[in-house]
């Protein structure tokens, strides 16, 4: 790997891989939702909840109950948009990696 003079490689080895996966899944769904050409009634709800999830993950210690609530609202608002279903499933899988409430 070539590096420019004065540049160093930065790695975040101490970050929880669940956070990395969640960050990626949420960012991908946000991009796909933004690019989705059709408007639908609850799009704003999905966008707000995805922003909330992104903020939780950025904080480094997301609240599982709040993540699950956001996921339910997102599913309810865009779950019928089949083009977004695979990416929505990735977000669900990322949330599931954090375990159940109270565990």
């Amino acid at each position: 790997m070539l590096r420019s003079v004065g540049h160093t490689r930065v790695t975040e080895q101490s970050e929880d891989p669940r956070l990395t996966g969640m960050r990626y899944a949420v960012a991908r769904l946000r991009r796909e939702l933004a690019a989705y050409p059709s408007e639908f009634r609850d799009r704003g709800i999905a966008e707000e909840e995805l922003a909330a999830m992104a903020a939780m993950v950025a904080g480094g210690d997301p609240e599982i109950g709040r993540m699950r609530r956001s996921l339910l609202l997102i599913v309810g608002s865009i779950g019928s948009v089949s083009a977004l279903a695979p990416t929505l499933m990735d977000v669900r899988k990322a949330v599931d990696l954090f375990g159940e409430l109270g565990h």
Side-chain angles (χ1 to χ4, degrees):
M1 171 190 213
L2 297 174
R3 287 187 225 167
S4 298
V5 175
H7 291 260
T8 59
R9 187 172 178 192
V10 177
T11 59
E12 295 184 29
Q13 295 176 5
S14 62
E15 183 174 74
D16 185 336
R18 298 175 302 173
L19 290 173
T20 304
M22 179 64 112
R23 183 178 297 114
Y24 175 77
V26 167
R28 183 171 166 219
L29 184 54
R30 289 178 86 180
R31 283 191 310 273
E32 288 187 18
L33 180 59
Y36 189 73
S38 299
E39 285 299 320
F40 49 92
R41 189 174 56 153
D42 294 332
R43 184 182 195 124
I45 294 169
E47 290 169 344
E48 288 174 14
E49 293 303 319
L50 284 166
M53 289 180 95
M56 282 187 272
V57 173
D61 189 24
E63 180 186 333
I64 296 169
R66 178 68 175 103
M67 279 194 317
R68 291 193 177 282
R69 179 182 175 276
S70 289
L71 179 62
L72 285 173
L73 289 168
I74 294 165
V75 168
S77 60
I78 65 172
S80 63
V81 180
S82 61
L84 301 174
T87 310
L88 180 56
M89 183 59 80
D90 290 343
V91 172
R92 181 187 164 266
K93 289 175 184 175
V95 169
D96 285 346
L97 291 176
F98 285 89
E100 296 294 323
L101 289 170
H103 290 105

